[in-house]
Amino acid sequence: MADDVDEIDSGYRWESSFERTWEVLVEDEQGSLKSTVDELQRARKRRAVDRKSNVRLGLMRHLYIIVDMSSAITVIDLKPNRLTATTKLLEEFITEYFDQNPISQLGVIITRNKRAEKLTDIGGNPRRHVMALQQAACRPCIGEPSLQNSLELASQTLRHVPSHASREILIIYASLTSCDPSDIHVTVKNLVDDNIRCSAIGLSAEMYILKKLASETGGSYRVILDEHHYRELLNHYIIPPVATEKLGASLIRMGFPEYRTNSHPSMCQCHLDSKVVKSFSTTGYFCPQCKAKYCELPIECRICGLSLVSAPHLARSYQHLFPLEEFEEVALDKVEEKPKCCHGCTQNLADVAYRCKKCRSYYCNSCDMLMHESLQTCSGCSGIDQE
């Protein structure tokens, strides 16, 4: 009882002026903080989702992000508020999404005042999505959201995506209500028929309709605990999902355009509807089939419908099919030939190191996380292959 009174008197956690985050760090016997930092990173690795190899994935992803920008997004349970935290984390997510999924596409939809608005169409330019999201965050967040209108708007585009591509919707929902024009269960049924996977991240308490939507479409639904948990949940959707049984399998025609410089400026097809003079340039990527000009890759040619990519894009996507195998954690005091330093960064190793099962190279915790989260390759094995 006394603890409850003390908690009420102290106020809510998000209303406090600052947090004593430095109290989490504890010095070891030698006065170093490295052991504490390594323990925090190991805890992060334990929470990471295990990735399996030899599993069919939906590498060509078409994802719509639905962001609730109603009055509920202005609550201050995240610092400084839900809107600012969501905008910042989505900017990081969009950048990392295209870095890990270069042949995928993404679009952004917001819902406020009982309506749904498409900020950006499905495309492969992360800067355009981030800029549109920042501009939308500067506008007032009013009214109630409409989950059904948002899902209908997204499905209008996704249902026409080719059968071999993964159709996905990610919902960032802050409100506990939804103002819908008709029966939303009919919309859920249509999403199942169109093979659209819907996932949701809740910023408030759990909602039944979101849980049912995720369950029936094969997605996932989680509620955040704090900002760090929020970032981890978003990072979960960067990795391509396992392909569903309805996902088609077929050969895909792709073109590898040449980057050329012309003597006279011209407008690219992706900015044909733009009124900006800067869209004119003398350089660009030219479709090998119809010679149409584009300023960015990957993209689908508007003239002949050919998918235009580059070789590094395919190689970057191919790595998800064969993820790097987990390194084994080794206590160095039990190793006969103790390594002097990390094979990656050449820094001195602490009491615990991570050893590759193939090349037997030892790595520190930071290099281990870098290779598994970003590089997807072991530097020791790569050196042996080159030799």
PDB file of all heavy atoms in Angstrom, residues 18 57 74 78 88 95 154 175 179 206 226 237-238 285 343 345:
ATOM      1  N   PHE A  18      13.803  14.467 -15.988  1.00  0.00           N
ATOM      2  CA  PHE A  18      14.955  13.756 -16.542  1.00  0.00           C
ATOM      3  C   PHE A  18      15.027  12.376 -15.911  1.00  0.00           C
ATOM      4  O   PHE A  18      14.351  12.077 -14.933  1.00  0.00           O
ATOM      5  CB  PHE A  18      16.254  14.524 -16.278  1.00  0.00           C
ATOM      6  CG  PHE A  18      16.598  14.651 -14.820  1.00  0.00           C
ATOM      7  CD1 PHE A  18      17.387  13.697 -14.193  1.00  0.00           C
ATOM      8  CD2 PHE A  18      16.116  15.717 -14.071  1.00  0.00           C
ATOM      9  CE1 PHE A  18      17.688  13.799 -12.850  1.00  0.00           C
ATOM     10  CE2 PHE A  18      16.407  15.825 -12.723  1.00  0.00           C
ATOM     11  CZ  PHE A  18      17.209  14.859 -12.110  1.00  0.00           C
ATOM     12  N   LEU A  57      11.458 -16.690 -48.660  1.00  0.00           N
ATOM     13  CA  LEU A  57      11.121 -15.349 -48.176  1.00  0.00           C
ATOM     14  C   LEU A  57      10.488 -14.523 -49.290  1.00  0.00           C
ATOM     15  O   LEU A  57      10.709 -14.780 -50.473  1.00  0.00           O
ATOM     16  CB  LEU A  57      12.386 -14.637 -47.664  1.00  0.00           C
ATOM     17  CG  LEU A  57      13.180 -15.328 -46.557  1.00  0.00           C
ATOM     18  CD1 LEU A  57      14.429 -14.537 -46.246  1.00  0.00           C
ATOM     19  CD2 LEU A  57      12.321 -15.489 -45.309  1.00  0.00           C
ATOM     20  N   THR A  74      -0.604  12.794 -29.813  1.00  0.00           N
ATOM     21  CA  THR A  74       0.037  13.912 -29.111  1.00  0.00           C
ATOM     22  C   THR A  74       0.243  13.637 -27.622  1.00  0.00           C
ATOM     23  O   THR A  74       0.753  14.506 -26.907  1.00  0.00           O
ATOM     24  CB  THR A  74      -0.808  15.192 -29.269  1.00  0.00           C
ATOM     25  OG1 THR A  74      -2.127  14.968 -28.738  1.00  0.00           O
ATOM     26  CG2 THR A  74      -0.925  15.584 -30.738  1.00  0.00           C
ATOM     27  N   LEU A  78       5.609   9.120 -24.411  1.00  0.00           N
ATOM     28  CA  LEU A  78       6.942   9.010 -24.993  1.00  0.00           C
ATOM     29  C   LEU A  78       7.545  10.401 -25.022  1.00  0.00           C
ATOM     30  O   LEU A  78       6.821  11.397 -25.067  1.00  0.00           O
ATOM     31  CB  LEU A  78       6.884   8.425 -26.409  1.00  0.00           C
ATOM     32  CG  LEU A  78       6.385   6.983 -26.542  1.00  0.00           C
ATOM     33  CD1 LEU A  78       6.303   6.586 -28.015  1.00  0.00           C
ATOM     34  CD2 LEU A  78       7.272   6.016 -25.796  1.00  0.00           C
ATOM     35  N   LYS A  88      10.616  10.249 -35.647  1.00  0.00           N
ATOM     36  CA  LYS A  88      12.053   9.982 -35.633  1.00  0.00           C
ATOM     37  C   LYS A  88      12.347   8.508 -35.886  1.00  0.00           C
ATOM     38  O   LYS A  88      13.241   8.171 -36.686  1.00  0.00           O
ATOM     39  CB  LYS A  88      12.633  10.405 -34.283  1.00  0.00           C
ATOM     40  CG  LYS A  88      14.141  10.181 -34.166  1.00  0.00           C
ATOM     41  CD  LYS A  88      14.644  10.546 -32.781  1.00  0.00           C
ATOM     42  CE  LYS A  88      14.101   9.607 -31.724  1.00  0.00           C
ATOM     43  NZ  LYS A  88      14.694   9.856 -30.384  1.00  0.00           N
ATOM     44  N   THR A  95      14.862   4.372 -43.786  1.00  0.00           N
ATOM     45  CA  THR A  95      16.230   4.321 -44.312  1.00  0.00           C
ATOM     46  C   THR A  95      16.802   2.912 -44.245  1.00  0.00           C
ATOM     47  O   THR A  95      17.385   2.410 -45.211  1.00  0.00           O
ATOM     48  CB  THR A  95      17.127   5.296 -43.538  1.00  0.00           C
ATOM     49  OG1 THR A  95      16.576   6.613 -43.613  1.00  0.00           O
ATOM     50  CG2 THR A  95      18.534   5.314 -44.126  1.00  0.00           C
ATOM     51  N   ALA A 154      -5.057   1.440 -48.736  1.00  0.00           N
ATOM     52  CA  ALA A 154      -3.838   0.672 -49.008  1.00  0.00           C
ATOM     53  C   ALA A 154      -4.119  -0.532 -49.898  1.00  0.00           C
ATOM     54  O   ALA A 154      -3.333  -0.851 -50.801  1.00  0.00           O
ATOM     55  CB  ALA A 154      -3.197   0.229 -47.694  1.00  0.00           C
ATOM     56  N   SER A 175      -4.454   5.424 -31.058  1.00  0.00           N
ATOM     57  CA  SER A 175      -5.767   5.609 -30.449  1.00  0.00           C
ATOM     58  C   SER A 175      -6.332   4.292 -29.938  1.00  0.00           C
ATOM     59  O   SER A 175      -5.815   3.210 -30.241  1.00  0.00           O
ATOM     60  CB  SER A 175      -6.731   6.236 -31.463  1.00  0.00           C
ATOM     61  OG  SER A 175      -8.011   6.401 -30.906  1.00  0.00           O
ATOM     62  N   CYS A 179     -13.144   5.294 -36.118  1.00  0.00           N
ATOM     63  CA  CYS A 179     -14.419   5.747 -36.676  1.00  0.00           C
ATOM     64  C   CYS A 179     -14.502   5.247 -38.117  1.00  0.00           C
ATOM     65  O   CYS A 179     -13.865   5.805 -39.015  1.00  0.00           O
ATOM     66  CB  CYS A 179     -14.506   7.270 -36.619  1.00  0.00           C
ATOM     67  SG  CYS A 179     -16.102   7.924 -37.152  1.00  0.00           S
ATOM     68  N   GLU A 206      -3.915  -2.828 -25.768  1.00  0.00           N
ATOM     69  CA  GLU A 206      -4.224  -3.757 -26.854  1.00  0.00           C
ATOM     70  C   GLU A 206      -5.673  -3.606 -27.305  1.00  0.00           C
ATOM     71  O   GLU A 206      -6.578  -3.435 -26.505  1.00  0.00           O
ATOM     72  CB  GLU A 206      -3.970  -5.194 -26.380  1.00  0.00           C
ATOM     73  CG  GLU A 206      -4.184  -6.244 -27.455  1.00  0.00           C
ATOM     74  CD  GLU A 206      -3.905  -7.648 -26.955  1.00  0.00           C
ATOM     75  OE1 GLU A 206      -2.714  -8.024 -26.898  1.00  0.00           O
ATOM     76  OE2 GLU A 206      -4.875  -8.352 -26.609  1.00  0.00           O
ATOM     77  N   ASP A 226       8.347   1.003 -24.135  1.00  0.00           N
ATOM     78  CA  ASP A 226       9.022   2.294 -24.072  1.00  0.00           C
ATOM     79  C   ASP A 226       9.635   2.547 -25.438  1.00  0.00           C
ATOM     80  O   ASP A 226       9.386   1.815 -26.401  1.00  0.00           O
ATOM     81  CB  ASP A 226      10.089   2.315 -22.966  1.00  0.00           C
ATOM     82  CG  ASP A 226      11.031   1.116 -23.039  1.00  0.00           C
ATOM     83  OD1 ASP A 226      11.252   0.611 -24.159  1.00  0.00           O
ATOM     84  OD2 ASP A 226      11.535   0.693 -21.993  1.00  0.00           O
ATOM     85  N   TYR A 237      10.423  -5.638 -38.493  1.00  0.00           N
ATOM     86  CA  TYR A 237       9.775  -5.648 -39.810  1.00  0.00           C
ATOM     87  C   TYR A 237      10.724  -5.241 -40.934  1.00  0.00           C
ATOM     88  O   TYR A 237      10.289  -5.090 -42.080  1.00  0.00           O
ATOM     89  CB  TYR A 237       8.556  -4.724 -39.792  1.00  0.00           C
ATOM     90  CG  TYR A 237       7.518  -5.151 -38.785  1.00  0.00           C
ATOM     91  CD1 TYR A 237       7.372  -4.490 -37.574  1.00  0.00           C
ATOM     92  CD2 TYR A 237       6.702  -6.254 -39.025  1.00  0.00           C
ATOM     93  CE1 TYR A 237       6.440  -4.893 -36.636  1.00  0.00           C
ATOM     94  CE2 TYR A 237       5.760  -6.664 -38.099  1.00  0.00           C
ATOM     95  CZ  TYR A 237       5.641  -5.981 -36.909  1.00  0.00           C
ATOM     96  OH  TYR A 237       4.709  -6.394 -35.984  1.00  0.00           O
ATOM     97  N   ILE A 238      11.994  -5.053 -40.628  1.00  0.00           N
ATOM     98  CA  ILE A 238      12.974  -4.765 -41.682  1.00  0.00           C
ATOM     99  C   ILE A 238      13.344  -6.040 -42.421  1.00  0.00           C
ATOM    100  O   ILE A 238      13.520  -6.039 -43.645  1.00  0.00           O
ATOM    101  CB  ILE A 238      14.222  -4.098 -41.071  1.00  0.00           C
ATOM    102  CG1 ILE A 238      13.874  -2.700 -40.540  1.00  0.00           C
ATOM    103  CG2 ILE A 238      15.346  -4.015 -42.086  1.00  0.00           C
ATOM    104  CD1 ILE A 238      15.023  -2.000 -39.857  1.00  0.00           C
ATOM    105  N   TYR A 285      19.480   6.925 -65.638  1.00  0.00           N
ATOM    106  CA  TYR A 285      19.469   5.504 -65.997  1.00  0.00           C
ATOM    107  C   TYR A 285      18.488   5.302 -67.144  1.00  0.00           C
ATOM    108  O   TYR A 285      17.345   5.775 -67.081  1.00  0.00           O
ATOM    109  CB  TYR A 285      19.051   4.649 -64.795  1.00  0.00           C
ATOM    110  CG  TYR A 285      19.988   4.743 -63.629  1.00  0.00           C
ATOM    111  CD1 TYR A 285      19.750   5.641 -62.588  1.00  0.00           C
ATOM    112  CD2 TYR A 285      21.109   3.920 -63.542  1.00  0.00           C
ATOM    113  CE1 TYR A 285      20.603   5.720 -61.497  1.00  0.00           C
ATOM    114  CE2 TYR A 285      21.969   3.993 -62.455  1.00  0.00           C
ATOM    115  CZ  TYR A 285      21.705   4.893 -61.447  1.00  0.00           C
ATOM    116  OH  TYR A 285      22.562   4.976 -60.375  1.00  0.00           O
ATOM    117  N   HIS A 343      39.377 -10.247 -34.173  1.00  0.00           N
ATOM    118  CA  HIS A 343      39.760 -10.395 -35.566  1.00  0.00           C
ATOM    119  C   HIS A 343      39.186  -9.279 -36.434  1.00  0.00           C
ATOM    120  O   HIS A 343      39.703  -9.014 -37.524  1.00  0.00           O
ATOM    121  CB  HIS A 343      39.278 -11.758 -36.097  1.00  0.00           C
ATOM    122  CG  HIS A 343      39.785 -12.093 -37.458  1.00  0.00           C
ATOM    123  ND1 HIS A 343      39.132 -11.704 -38.607  1.00  0.00           N
ATOM    124  CD2 HIS A 343      40.887 -12.768 -37.860  1.00  0.00           C
ATOM    125  CE1 HIS A 343      39.802 -12.140 -39.666  1.00  0.00           C
ATOM    126  NE2 HIS A 343      40.875 -12.793 -39.233  1.00  0.00           N
ATOM    127  N   CYS A 345      38.081  -5.721 -35.252  1.00  0.00           N
ATOM    128  CA  CYS A 345      38.513  -4.357 -34.929  1.00  0.00           C
ATOM    129  C   CYS A 345      39.892  -4.303 -34.280  1.00  0.00           C
ATOM    130  O   CYS A 345      40.379  -3.211 -33.968  1.00  0.00           O
ATOM    131  CB  CYS A 345      37.488  -3.681 -34.031  1.00  0.00           C
ATOM    132  SG  CYS A 345      37.251  -4.491 -32.435  1.00  0.00           S
TER     133      CYS A 345
END
